[in-house]
Amino acid sequence: MDLLIQRVRLGQDICDILIQEGLFARIAPQIDVVTLPRVPYTLDGTGMAILPSFANVHAHTAMVLLRGLGEDMPLHEWLNDIIWPLERRLTGEQIYWGTLFGCLEMIRSGITAVADMYWHTSHCLRAFYESGIRVNFSPPDILSDDPKALRDLQRDLETHLELAQSYPHRVELSVGIHALYTTTPESRAVCRDFADRHQLIIQTHLSETQRETDECLAATGKTPTEIFDSEGLLHERFLGAHGIWLSDSDRRLMVERGAAIAHCPASNMKLASGIFNDQAARADGLRYGLGTDGASSNNRYDMLSEMRTAALLAKVTTRDPSACSATDIFRTATRGGFQLLRLDAGEIAVGKLADCILVDLDHTGLVPGHDLISDIVYAATPECIDTTICNGNILMRHRRIPGEDDIRQACRAAAAPLR
Amino acid sequence: MDLLIQRVRLGQDICDILIQEGLFARIAPQIDVVTLPRVPYTLDGTGMAILPSFANVHAHTAMVLLRGLGEDMPLHEWLNDIIWPLERRLTGEQIYWGTLFGCLEMIRSGITAVADMYWHTSHCLRAFYESGIRVNFSPPDILSDDPKALRDLQRDLETHLELAQSYPHRVELSVGIHALYTTTPESRAVCRDFADRHQLIIQTHLSETQRETDECLAATGKTPTEIFDSEGLLHERFLGAHGIWLSDSDRRLMVERGAAIAHCPASNMKLASGIFNDQAARADGLRYGLGTDGASSNNRYDMLSEMRTAALLAKVTTRDPSACSATDIFRTATRGGFQLLRLDAGEIAVGKLADCILVDLDHTGLVPGHDLISDIVYAATPECIDTTICNGNILMRHRRIPGEDDIRQACRAAAAPLR
């Protein structure tokens, strides 16, 4: 059904916005319903501003099941003693509810697209589809060079792609290479060829920790980025998460290849992994978006918080308060992120995908309202987001999401045995 | 009126909590109303947990009027070209509405006590009193050694104290020494003697910027902390904001004197002033609380955000994910902050001041709910706070604050001419 948003603020103007077939179709001071070919569903935007929604370019959404377990522990102890043993016990059913609940939290903070990496593909895809947001999903391949494992990988990739293609275009598959240190050259070659053949995005963890990066250099004489490049994986469909320990030449190599980074400032801080060089990335023209990472290491799926953290961290790191402005980071979290996911969204403009949020201008953080983008980045909390729309569909209105009470109950029940 | 909170979660238990004369009077599995001497007002805590509220130990609350103006600018340009010229134009009436609206935002994030420093004392005190929260207010003295100015200072201090004392005990005066570099030894001596005579807290800005600290050392051979100490100002009633550039010996001197710091992590990041050494402060036993600073340099009055930022920053700075745990920073923001303000609050225990919040356990960030304190610090946003209580009075219930619509309108009107 067509959607007509009436009397909403766009920039300095009040206007009507018509959405047809998932796209912004018309923006005008006033659109008379009787002039339209079909009667649209109308939505009153009085007292609200329309903004693009956000793309979360790195998440393990289902990890919300583990939120709050094993906090404040050293990284390897946390992974080995808490997270990995728990994850091995997770069933597809638990992951389904975790993913669906995680999507609720994203919708509440205005996220309508996510690049996700997790296990139990069929359960995850179903949850993302049902949530109403867009996903680019990758099962994380962690593999030996055993010939059988390679054949299984090939078969899994095909099965997963077929499964993803059985959904409408909101659901896409990407190829997951968990990380360089958990895969082999042979398995990465299978991933590369499959991704090339189907023009899929490759998701991986890249130079997240100093140890991983140093060990790679010591063992091979090359950085992880250089190895990915030598294997033909570093291209415009390459999305590496974190990238904290990229060298200057790694970064330039990525720029040359058109490869991209998912910058996860809060997760990087919480796990004490280090600080992504936002300033150098901007100076060199490295493409990057913002990611929340999993809820175990953030612990929010909140893009307002992520923008704020990214900007504040860039400022204090460079000792320059003009670094990473509100406008810069807002663009990174919207258009920048959608571009990495090859989605033509992140702007309120005719012809773009109709992914957007309506923010309540009476929200405390948006008052007195001297500068909306600054207020959104620095002052607002998710409570300001009244309405979230993805692909022209209303996912949240007046902060209510249909079915949320049942999903919350089911997520609690799914998580209870993990304690 | 007495207040009985029923069926609320406290730690792992469900209990009833009776508040009488502003204090927690009784905590029991069940309190039968008919056994009480007076009929209390009852409040249903089903599905909620009770936690102590927060103390914001450094703010310029009225600066919410300027939120979003002159963002992302270099510090001195921002102060000289934007903030100070605007502040000089502010009337008492504007400041009254800004303060009152800023208090709304604090109440929405569970803050019930604030150490504030701003101009127009009478208007500020009235706004804080009317908001229902506690304040320790200091007019920031910026003074020459002109004998007339010193006489005026003495007179102002007396007038302000008399004014503060005309309010009930929720409103207290402290002595404001804006900063070492904006005051003289003579004016500080007047402040010291007055504070000693009346046992008042002294609020000041201390080693916030490297420049201020370096210039002091170059001009005097002493650090700002050493000068305050040599002038007899460094004692258990001394509250210095920021303290980023304290030397190791400054910190030890403060510990020895029982002096305290207001740590303002978000403001320090946004203004790119530097990073307070949380690890050393904890190791040395320095007393400190958390402050938001003014809304121009944060831009939130949100203690959940402040706790999270403080913890994440401490972790990444030390490269240790176990640094500044959720429990540590929660205690700092609650009991730690109240102690600096000499208030016996920050704990839900019989005999303590009845300052608390009720958090909605159905809030997205508090699900699945493995660890409430971790969830509050890392995952929750102010939307989780359903009810805020100060001194036994309900300031917010179901996220509604009586009169908030009118206050918001008035704040907008007061801020509009500043654009």
Side-chain angles (χ1 to χ4, degrees), chain B residues 175-402:
Chain B
V175 173
I177 296 174
H178 171 265
L180 201 73
Y181 61 95
T182 49
T183 51
T184 62
E186 291 75 13
S187 67
R188 292 193 294 271
V190 171
C191 288
R192 176 198 59 212
D193 294 344
F194 190 81
D196 284 350
R197 190 156 63 250
H198 299 283
Q199 290 294 297
L200 304 179
I201 288 172
I202 288 169
Q203 289 189 48
T204 189
H205 292 91
L206 178 69
S207 287
E208 176 176 6
T209 67
Q210 186 171 18
R211 175 172 152 184
E212 152 208 349
T213 311
D214 287 353
E215 284 178 359
C216 178
L217 260 171
T220 67
K222 288 182 177 177
T223 66
T225 305
E226 287 165 349
I227 293 183
F228 278 122
D229 188 53
S230 70
E231 295 178 349
L233 282 152
L234 209 66
H235 46 55
E236 72 291 340
R237 288 179 283 102
F238 179 93
L239 177 54
H242 304 285
I244 298 169
W245 298 95
L246 294 182
S247 68
D248 289 347
S249 70
D250 283 345
R251 199 169 42 244
R252 284 191 293 266
L253 185 57
M254 291 195 70
V255 173
E256 212 168 292
R257 300 287 187 259
I261 286 289
H263 172 28
C264 307
S267 172
N268 296 347
M269 293 175 81
K270 184 152 184 281
L271 299 178
S273 310
I275 297 172
F276 171 71
N277 195 336
D278 173 278
Q279 191 182 36
R282 285 185 193 278
D284 289 351
L286 177 62
R287 299 163 65 215
Y288 75 90
L290 286 183
T292 57
D293 208 350
S296 283
S297 61
N298 188 312
N299 299 350
R300 302 178 178 175
Y301 294 139
D302 169 3
M303 203 50 70
L304 300 181
S305 181
E306 215 61 43
M307 286 192 294
R308 176 179 149 97
T309 302
L312 297 190
L313 187 62
K315 289 172 195 300
V316 77
T317 306
T318 57
R319 297 287 304 283
D320 175 5
S322 68
C324 195
S325 72
T327 316
D328 285 343
I329 201 67
F330 184 78
R331 200 176 292 131
T332 299
T334 54
R335 200 163 49 193
F338 283 106
Q339 278 174 350
L340 300 195
L341 305 183
R342 302 186 299 184
L343 293 164
D344 192 19
E347 286 173 86
I348 310 300
V350 170
K352 301 288 172 185
L353 291 170
D355 283 27
C356 59
I357 56 176
L358 303 189
V359 299
D360 177 359
L361 295 168
D362 278 349
H363 170 71
T364 317
L366 304 185
V367 175
H370 294 307
D371 181 332
L372 180 60
I373 297 302
S374 155
D375 287 345
I376 287 286
V377 169
Y378 297 127
T381 61
E383 199 175 3
C384 78
I385 300 169
D386 176 89
T387 302
T388 301
I389 293 172
C390 177
N391 206 38
N393 300 312
I394 302 171
L395 304 187
M396 177 175 77
R397 178 67 170 153
H398 300 325
R399 293 201 70 61
R400 292 293 301 171
I401 301 171

Side-chain angles (χ1 to χ4, degrees), chain A residues 72 298 308 315 378 399, chain B residues 72 298 308 315 378 383:
Chain A
D72 306 313
N298 188 313
R308 173 179 153 97
K315 290 173 195 302
Y378 297 127
R399 292 201 71 61
Chain B
D72 305 314
N298 188 312
R308 176 179 149 97
K315 289 172 195 300
Y378 297 127
E383 199 175 3

Side-chain angles (χ1 to χ4, degrees), chain A residues 4-7 14-18 26-31:
Chain A
L4 181 64
I5 306 172
Q6 297 176 306
R7 296 173 291 278
I14 302 294
C15 60
D16 289 356
I17 297 179
L18 180 66
R26 226 173 109 198
I27 300 174
Q30 209 180 334
I31 297 175

Side-chain angles (χ1 to χ4, degrees), chain A residues 78-328:
Chain A
W78 175 72
L79 283 174
N80 287 309
D81 299 348
I82 307 288
I83 298 301
W84 288 340
L86 282 172
E87 284 193 328
R88 276 193 287 273
R89 285 167 47 196
L90 291 178
T91 65
E93 182 73 5
Q94 285 173 304
I95 287 173
Y96 166 80
W97 288 113
T99 303
L100 201 48
F101 184 75
C103 288
L104 288 194
E105 186 171 346
M106 295 201 201
I107 292 166
R108 296 177 76 82
S109 95
I111 294 166
T112 61
V114 58
D116 195 83
M117 187 189 275
Y118 217 61
W119 288 273
H120 291 267
T121 303
S122 64
H123 292 85
C124 288
L125 291 183
R126 184 156 62 87
F128 281 113
Y129 173 68
E130 289 174 10
S131 78
I133 70 172
R134 304 177 194 275
V135 68
N136 203 307
F137 182 81
S138 66
D141 296 307
I142 301 182
L143 273 172
S144 70
D145 56 359
D146 168 34
K148 177 165 181 320
L150 290 177
R151 279 197 307 276
D152 287 352
L153 170 60
Q154 181 70 45
R155 190 205 54 206
D156 285 353
L157 287 168
E158 281 162 13
T159 311
H160 293 152
L161 183 59
E162 200 177 326
L163 192 59
Q165 288 175 338
S166 72
Y167 286 97
H169 63 104
R170 272 198 294 107
V171 172
E172 290 196 21
L173 192 82
S174 48
V175 173
I177 296 174
H178 172 265
L180 201 72
Y181 62 94
T182 50
T183 52
T184 61
E186 292 75 14
S187 67
R188 293 194 294 273
V190 171
C191 289
R192 174 198 61 211
D193 294 345
F194 190 82
D196 284 350
R197 191 154 65 248
H198 299 284
Q199 290 293 297
L200 304 179
I201 288 171
I202 288 168
Q203 289 190 48
T204 191
H205 293 91
L206 179 70
S207 287
E208 176 176 5
T209 66
Q210 185 172 20
R211 176 173 151 183
E212 151 210 349
T213 311
D214 287 352
E215 284 178 357
C216 178
L217 260 171
T220 67
K222 289 182 176 176
T223 66
T225 305
E226 286 166 348
I227 293 183
F228 277 123
D229 189 51
S230 69
E231 295 178 348
L233 282 152
L234 209 66
H235 46 57
E236 72 292 340
R237 288 178 285 101
F238 179 95
L239 177 54
H242 304 285
I244 298 168
W245 297 95
L246 294 181
S247 68
D248 290 347
S249 69
D250 283 345
R251 199 169 44 244
R252 285 190 293 265
L253 186 57
M254 291 196 70
V255 173
E256 211 169 292
R257 300 287 189 261
I261 287 289
H263 173 28
C264 306
S267 172
N268 297 346
M269 293 174 82
K270 183 150 184 283
L271 298 179
S273 311
I275 297 171
F276 171 72
N277 194 335
D278 174 278
Q279 190 181 37
R282 288 186 190 276
D284 289 350
L286 177 63
R287 298 163 64 216
Y288 76 88
L290 286 183
T292 57
D293 207 349
S296 282
S297 61
N298 188 313
N299 299 349
R300 301 179 178 174
Y301 295 139
D302 170 3
M303 202 52 70
L304 301 180
S305 180
E306 215 61 43
M307 287 192 293
R308 173 179 153 97
T309 302
L312 297 191
L313 188 61
K315 290 173 195 302
V316 78
T317 307
T318 57
R319 297 285 306 281
D320 175 6
S322 68
C324 195
S325 72
T327 316
D328 285 342

Side-chain angles (χ1 to χ4, degrees), chain B residues 52 102 130 134 172 243 273:
Chain B
E130 290 175 8
R134 303 177 194 274
E172 291 197 21
S273 310

